[in-house]
Amino acid sequence: ASSYLLKLISQLCVLLFLLFQILGAVILGFGIWILADKTSFIAVLQMSSPSLKTGAYILIGVGALTMLMGFLGCLGAVNEIRCLLGLYFTCLMVILITQVAAGLVIYFQKETLKEELSHIVGNLIENYDPLNNDERNLQDAWDYVQTQIACCGWTGAKDWENNAILINQSMTMYPCSCSNSSKDFQADSGFCNLDVPVNGTATSADWPVHEQGCMDGVEKWLKDNLGVILGVCTGVAVIELLGMILSISLCKNIHSEDYTKVPKS
């Protein structure tokens, strides 16, 4: 019965460790995607905020470590190597604690993060210039965000009244990516001319643009997908806890250490 239990735990561990290989690959791929993405809100943050780049590198490191730990866990379970199982348990515990700590930091620093996002987007809008090729990728990414979310500015279209080019044009132009017009010829980047300027001047209230700011759009998306996000996070945490329990159980049930079972390279 003891031998059968040990074999069963070992098989469960192998399956779980293979799952961790996949999980690690997903985390690694997500980190690489954040660094490589050029057409979404992530791109705006990634090109403007060094903290997001740091976070992406951390994800890449965690993903690579998770894959390595999955491999070592499989090796330890198949060959009944207690030191590898113990190492896997320790690393998994560190990763789990790190994830919980990161979640708490994000939760308690959410207002600070919100202010940082507001500052980043505010600077982008204020300095937006379709002729500035140096900032082309960043500006295209923000145009993409406004088009996809159907929003304008961070808190609203009034944010664009701080743009130097629009000020020089007496607000008789507006950002094309903000447009709520269904005209087929409407561009999705740069500035568009206002059809009927009022006495040669206008305000954002005269523009045919979306009223909702992108901040509200992003918050709405997060609220709509909060269940999915929490579900994924909870699922990952449960899998990690299960891996810790199975690895320590298998480690305790291995009575003797036999290093001759380690494959020779």
Side-chain angles (χ1 to χ4, degrees):
S2 175
S3 176
Y4 175 78
L5 179 62
L6 182 62
K7 185 177 180 180
L8 178 62
I9 295 176
S10 177
Q11 291 175 342
L12 288 174
C13 282
V14 170
L15 290 174
L16 193 63
F17 297 151
L18 289 175
L19 181 60
F20 268 101
Q21 290 275 65
I22 298 174
L23 178 62
V26 171
I27 296 174
L28 177 65
F30 184 61
I32 293 174
W33 172 74
I34 289 177
L35 291 177
D37 180 67
K38 302 297 180 186
T39 58
S40 70
F41 187 60
I42 293 294
V44 175
L45 302 182
Q46 187 259 123
M47 285 184 277
S48 303
S49 175
S51 60
L52 187 66
K53 287 185 178 181
T54 302
Y57 287 123
I58 290 174
L59 284 176
I60 292 173
V62 169
L65 180 61
T66 301
M67 292 180 67
L68 176 61
M69 289 301 102
F71 171 74
L72 293 179
C74 283
L75 190 64
V78 170
N79 297 284
E80 298 182 2
I81 308 298
R82 297 180 68 183
C83 64
L84 291 182
L85 291 171
L87 177 62
Y88 176 81
F89 173 84
T90 303
C91 290
L92 200 56
M93 182 173 63
V94 171
I95 290 175
L96 182 59
I97 293 174
T98 302
Q99 289 172 341
V100 172
L104 291 174
V105 169
I106 292 174
Y107 178 78
F108 288 111
Q109 296 293 321
K110 57 184 178 181
E111 292 302 323
T112 302
L113 293 174
K114 195 172 181 179
E115 289 179 6
E116 182 181 356
L117 290 180
S118 178
H119 179 70
I120 290 171
V121 176
N123 283 338
L124 170 60
I125 290 174
E126 184 176 341
N127 299 307
Y128 185 98
D129 181 356
L131 300 180
N132 186 357
N133 291 324
D134 293 337
E135 299 292 332
R136 174 70 62 189
N137 289 337
L138 184 58
Q139 293 177 169
D140 286 348
W142 182 244
D143 284 328
Y144 178 84
V145 170
Q146 293 191 137
T147 303
Q148 294 300 310
I149 300 182
C151 59
C152 190
W154 184 239
T155 59
K158 196 173 181 63
D159 292 345
W160 281 96
E161 293 185 4
N162 295 319
N163 179 268
I165 294 177
L166 295 182
I167 292 173
N168 290 335
Q169 294 296 323
S170 301
M171 301 299 163
T172 57
M173 301 177 72
Y174 62 92
C176 299
S177 57
C178 284
S179 176
N180 59 11
S181 172
S182 59
K183 296 179 181 178
D184 293 335
F185 62 81
Q186 194 66 254
D188 58 3
S189 64
F191 294 127
C192 295
N193 291 312
L194 190 62
D195 291 337
V196 185
V198 181
N199 300 323
T201 62
T203 66
S204 59
D206 301 312
W207 298 343
V209 298
H210 298 288
E211 295 181 2
Q212 176 181 252
C214 293
M215 178 180 67
D216 293 334
V218 171
E219 288 182 345
K220 183 178 183 300
W221 181 89
L222 289 174
K223 289 178 181 177
D224 291 343
N225 294 274
L226 184 60
V228 176
I229 296 172
L230 290 177
V232 170
C233 293
T234 302
V236 170
V238 169
I239 292 173
E240 289 173 341
L241 285 172
L242 186 58
M244 293 170 62
I245 293 171
L246 288 176
S247 61
I248 201 65
S249 297
L250 182 60
C251 189
K252 287 183 177 180
N253 280 281
I254 296 174
H255 300 294
S256 59
E257 195 81 86
D258 187 358
Y259 291 99
T260 62
K261 293 183 180 181
V262 179
K264 299 293 190 295
S265 56

